[in-house]
Amino acid sequence: MGTSLRARLRFLLPLLVLATACGGPAMEGSDDGGLTTYLVLFAHERVGMDERLAGPQFALVGLVAIASRVAWPMVAERAALPAESGLAMLRRVALAAAGAVTVIALATVLGAPALWAGAVLAGLSSASWNALAMLVVVRTSAPEAVAGASARVQGAFFLGLTVSPLVFGALTDLGGSYPYGWAWTGLCFLAAWPLLRHGPAAVGLRRGRRRPR
């Protein structure tokens, strides 16, 4: 193993361990960070999309996410058990986001329409994760514990959001191709799914819990 490769692996491994240790929120942040950081560059460099279209394609993720962040919590709130419904929706969001990454990665074969479809799917899933997570936080935390629980969830999420672009870029450089970075992003979404099966602890709540209203 060459010196350069060993140096890159020494850089990557602590970041991977750190993100994984923080659970579901960090995994969601990790995948969202990689997707949003490299989507425009990938569209231009590998799919051949003009910069004037690659930018609006990225903006579409945000526009769809605005509607999703309003709609998904409203759907969960109308369920008999909002917290459980929100957690179940988070798991579905993780799987849908993995699908979005797959569609985007296949744009080198399927062409620009796959990028637009992937952008819409990402807006419906990865970019709207926080709204559902905060619903679960509020519904399962005692009033005096909401602030601390929110801080743990958001802190883990933004840790993943910060770490992931570094990992994505290092993997892409290491492999010489974008599929390595997209594989990392998709695996983070898939890793979030089982982590989000373990109740409120999945979104960072360890104490101060209460029965869902």
Side-chain angles (χ1 to χ4, degrees):
M1 184 180 294
T3 303
S4 177
L5 180 56
R6 284 198 299 269
R8 289 178 181 180
L9 290 176
R10 282 197 299 269
F11 167 75
L12 281 175
L13 288 176
L15 296 178
L16 294 173
V17 171
L18 183 62
T20 303
C22 289
M27 289 296 98
E28 286 286 350
S30 293
D31 42 48
D32 196 37
L35 192 155
T36 54
T37 301
Y38 289 97
L39 181 59
V40 171
L41 189 63
F42 172 75
H44 178 62
E45 285 190 347
R46 291 293 184 267
V47 186
M49 182 177 283
D50 187 273
E51 297 98 323
R52 289 168 293 184
L53 285 177
Q57 177 236 172
F58 176 67
L60 181 62
V61 176
L63 289 174
V64 174
I66 291 172
S68 299
R69 289 186 181 203
V70 174
W72 297 156
M74 289 176 63
V75 171
E77 282 280 6
R78 291 175 180 171
L81 297 171
E84 282 81 351
S85 175
L87 202 56
M89 290 176 69
L90 280 173
R91 294 193 291 270
R92 290 193 287 271
V93 159
L95 293 179
V101 172
T102 302
V103 172
I104 289 169
L106 289 174
T108 53
V109 177
L110 301 176
L115 286 174
W116 293 100
V120 171
L121 193 52
L124 291 170
S125 55
S126 65
S128 59
W129 179 89
N130 267 4
L132 281 170
M134 297 314 296
L135 168 70
V136 176
V137 168
V138 171
R139 282 286 185 171
T140 57
S141 300
E144 67 276 8
V146 170
S150 300
R152 289 194 293 277
V153 171
Q154 293 298 322
F157 176 81
F158 283 105
L159 171 65
L161 198 70
T162 302
V163 166
S164 185
L166 301 175
V167 176
F168 189 114
L171 288 173
T172 300
D173 286 344
L174 192 65
S177 179
Y178 275 93
Y180 293 93
W182 291 128
W184 151 257
T185 304
L187 286 173
C188 284
F189 281 121
L190 293 177
W193 183 82
L195 290 171
L196 291 168
R197 296 190 65 186
H198 301 295
V203 288
L205 308 184
R206 303 292 179 182
R207 57 189 175 185
R209 289 179 286 177
R210 66 181 175 193
R211 294 179 64 85
R213 291 179 290 174

